[in-house]
Amino acid sequence: MTGAAVPGPDGRPRCPWGLSTEDYVRYHDEEWGRPVHGDDALFERLCLEAFQSGLSWLTILRRREGFRRAFDDFAIAAVAEFTDTDRDRLLADTGIIRNRAKIDACLANARVLAGWEPGELDALIWSFAPDPASRPAPRTLADVPAVTPESTALSKELKKAGVRFVGPTTAYALMQACGLVDDHLTDCVARGGAVV
């Protein structure tokens, strides 16, 4: 069956996308699909998903520490205070993706989110988590959608609030990465929890 779970380095079945590099195995096993809470943590994921648009996630994953250094660990309050000098620094930083539109979106989003109440971003994003019983676990990669009604609604709500660079596909990638949905395949060892 194409796209079904395949044996990983320890012989246990995993989602095929999570096996191409050690970085992916670790991310797949320990992080992807695990619940993420906290405004700053979710802001980081929003930014990284936006930077990933049009690129391989591995490119972002391997530069994640560079992104964290460049964006003050994605503390919303700190990034909201970034100046034009900080923007120029980011555009010259080889440790991140130096895409002007994506950098500008992250800075603008921080300014928007800095005006929100603590926990408001977390509550908004998680309010779009579907009931886990509402859809069956995917058996193959072909069963994993790129967009859902929930991701479309989340995207619209974030855009309405002034958040940029978060279309329905990016919103769904965020939902997958942050555990709002569990898209590990049915037979994947990581389905329902981190691999131990």
Side-chain angles (χ1 to χ4, degrees), residues 180-196:
L180 280 76
V181 295
D182 183 355
D183 274 346
H184 286 285
L185 301 182
T186 305
D187 297 328
C188 176
V189 69
R191 180 150 186 91
V195 177
V196 290

Side-chain angles (χ1 to χ4, degrees), residues 3-6 14-21 23-33 57-58 61 141 144 176-177 183-185 188 190:
V6 296
R14 287 176 173 77
C15 302
W17 67 263
L19 294 172
S20 62
T21 71
D23 297 321
Y24 266 161
V25 172
R26 193 168 41 258
Y27 178 69
H28 170 274
D29 287 1
E30 299 171 9
E31 188 172 351
W32 191 76
W57 179 247
L58 189 57
L61 198 55
L141 294 179
V144 178
Q176 291 174 303
D183 274 346
H184 286 285
L185 301 182
C188 176

Side-chain angles (χ1 to χ4, degrees), residues 12-159:
R12 296 187 291 175
R14 287 176 173 77
C15 302
W17 67 263
L19 294 172
S20 62
T21 71
E22 286 183 33
D23 297 321
Y24 266 161
V25 172
R26 193 168 41 258
Y27 178 69
H28 170 274
D29 287 1
E30 299 171 9
E31 188 172 351
W32 191 76
R34 309 291 161 253
V36 173
H37 286 283
D39 294 342
D40 291 343
L42 289 165
F43 174 62
E44 174 185 2
R45 300 322 193 286
L46 268 173
C47 290
L48 293 179
E49 293 295 346
F51 273 103
Q52 186 273 329
S53 181
L55 301 171
S56 159
W57 179 247
L58 189 57
T59 301
I60 303 304
L61 198 55
R62 288 183 172 164
R63 294 180 184 207
R64 192 172 190 180
E65 290 310 313
F67 275 109
R68 286 175 170 165
R69 281 190 299 277
F71 284 93
D72 282 355
D73 286 325
F74 292 97
I76 294 169
V79 178
E81 297 296 323
F82 278 19
T83 64
D84 286 344
T85 301
D86 292 304
R87 181 178 179 270
D88 292 342
R89 172 184 55 80
L90 294 169
L91 287 167
D93 190 335
T94 58
I96 67 170
I97 305 302
R98 296 173 293 169
N99 179 294
R100 183 180 310 273
K102 294 174 182 181
I103 288 170
D104 287 347
C106 284
L107 300 182
N109 291 346
R111 291 181 191 114
V112 167
L113 297 172
W116 290 23
E117 292 296 319
E120 190 173 352
L121 177 62
D122 188 302
L124 174 81
I125 289 174
W126 277 90
S127 74
F128 289 91
D131 177 355
S134 69
R135 70 184 244 247
R139 296 193 53 72
T140 70
L141 294 179
D143 298 329
V144 178
V147 173
T148 64
E150 293 88 359
S151 74
T152 300
L154 173 58
S155 171
K156 286 180 182 175
E157 192 65 27
L158 287 168
K159 286 179 180 178

